[in-house]
Amino acid sequence: MKKKTGAIAPRAAKRRKTGVSERKAAPQRLRMAKEAASAPRSPVAPNDAKPAIRRLRAQLARALARIDDLQASADTDFLLDIPNRRGFERELHRAIAYIKRYHASGALIVLDVDRLKPINDAFGHAAGDVVLKAIVAVLRRHVRASDVVGRLGGDEFALLLWNLSETDARAKAAALEQAIDRLSFTFRGSMVTAGASAGTAILGPHAEAGRALEQADSAMYVRKAQRRHESDVQS
């Protein structure tokens, strides 16, 4: 009998020892499980972090607003407050994408100011700036709010006009030439005029921005040569 009791006793002691260690480890495992479960479901920041988050959000909003301002200034002619070449080409690409998608139509007019260089040479660039501003005012009066007037550079402008046929576009180009021809300026007691030559291109479902600009530009130079010839004949 004693021998059997001695054989059973070590196993019982082992079970008791194992049960004690498991009971000690259970609270620690439970605490770790609770922490792991609660961590990803805690969207609310600690109270002491909320002011820092608000400051970061305000800084981000100011930075984004500054980026928008810089983007706008990069696409705008600072003297005339109209799109520069980059801004106009961006609008032209957007317009052509719209025309292709919705089967709309439009026209492109490229216009070059005549005799601006002699005015700059004789009266200075400030006088030339006055002429350019007056021409932009004329262009804006002759287009709709949905149309776009841009400066391609120097004395060259471009107009993006919606829903015009080829006949209408040519008539609009002629009207712009006439309106600019009627402008007159007085610098240092001398009255001067500028003038403009315009060429057109139609924007349809197969239009491409670069090709349309080249076509309107080529038509403008043809028109400029024609106007020069007409002026020589009249004189």
Side-chain angles (χ1 to χ4, degrees):
M1 295 294 293
K2 291 181 180 179
K3 190 172 182 179
K4 288 182 180 181
T5 303
I8 294 171
R11 286 196 294 272
K14 185 175 181 181
R15 284 196 299 271
R16 286 194 298 272
K17 184 175 181 181
T18 303
V20 170
S21 65
E22 288 176 353
R23 285 194 298 273
K24 289 181 178 179
Q28 182 178 4
R29 288 199 298 269
L30 180 60
R31 185 172 62 253
M32 293 174 63
K34 288 181 177 179
E35 292 174 354
S38 63
R41 293 196 299 269
S42 179
V44 180
N47 290 333
D48 57 349
K50 289 181 179 179
I53 292 175
R54 285 195 293 268
R55 287 194 299 271
L56 289 173
R57 286 176 177 170
Q59 292 174 2
L60 177 60
R62 290 193 295 270
L64 292 174
R66 179 59 176 161
I67 290 173
D68 290 340
D69 291 340
L70 292 173
Q71 180 70 31
S73 63
D75 292 344
T76 303
D77 184 274
F78 73 94
L79 174 66
L80 304 175
D81 194 29
I82 58 175
N84 57 19
R85 175 179 283 274
R86 170 178 160 165
F88 185 84
E89 288 183 350
R90 186 196 65 225
E91 294 298 326
L92 180 59
H93 280 285
R94 289 179 178 175
I96 290 176
Y98 181 92
I99 288 169
K100 290 181 176 180
R101 181 171 182 178
Y102 296 103
H103 306 287
S105 63
L108 176 66
I109 297 178
V110 170
L111 183 145
D112 188 79
V113 180
D114 299 328
R115 301 184 295 278
L116 182 64
K117 187 178 184 304
I119 294 174
N120 284 332
D121 293 343
F123 305 104
H125 286 278
D129 292 345
V130 171
V131 174
L132 292 175
K133 290 178 180 179
I135 289 174
V136 169
V138 168
L139 297 178
R140 282 176 163 168
R141 285 198 300 269
H142 282 76
V143 300
R144 298 156 293 186
S146 58
D147 299 330
V148 181
V149 178
R151 184 184 187 185
L152 299 182
D155 54 2
E156 192 170 59
F157 295 87
L159 297 90
L160 172 60
L161 308 173
W162 289 98
N163 301 320
L164 287 185
S165 66
E166 184 174 1
T167 301
D168 292 337
R170 290 181 176 177
K172 175 64 71 173
L176 293 174
E177 288 180 350
Q178 293 170 8
I180 295 172
D181 286 344
R182 288 193 293 265
L183 292 174
S184 62
F185 308 88
T186 301
F187 302 116
R188 301 177 193 168
S190 299
M191 190 184 75
V192 297
T193 59
S197 303
T200 64
I202 298 303
L203 303 176
H206 303 293
E208 296 180 2
R211 177 60 183 151
L213 281 170
E214 290 177 1
Q215 181 179 348
D217 195 57
S218 297
M220 179 271 294
Y221 278 108
V222 171
R223 177 59 178 157
K224 183 178 284 289
Q226 181 183 0
R227 281 169 58 88
R228 188 180 299 115
H229 175 71
E230 292 173 354
S231 178
D232 293 340
V233 171
Q234 292 175 0
S235 60

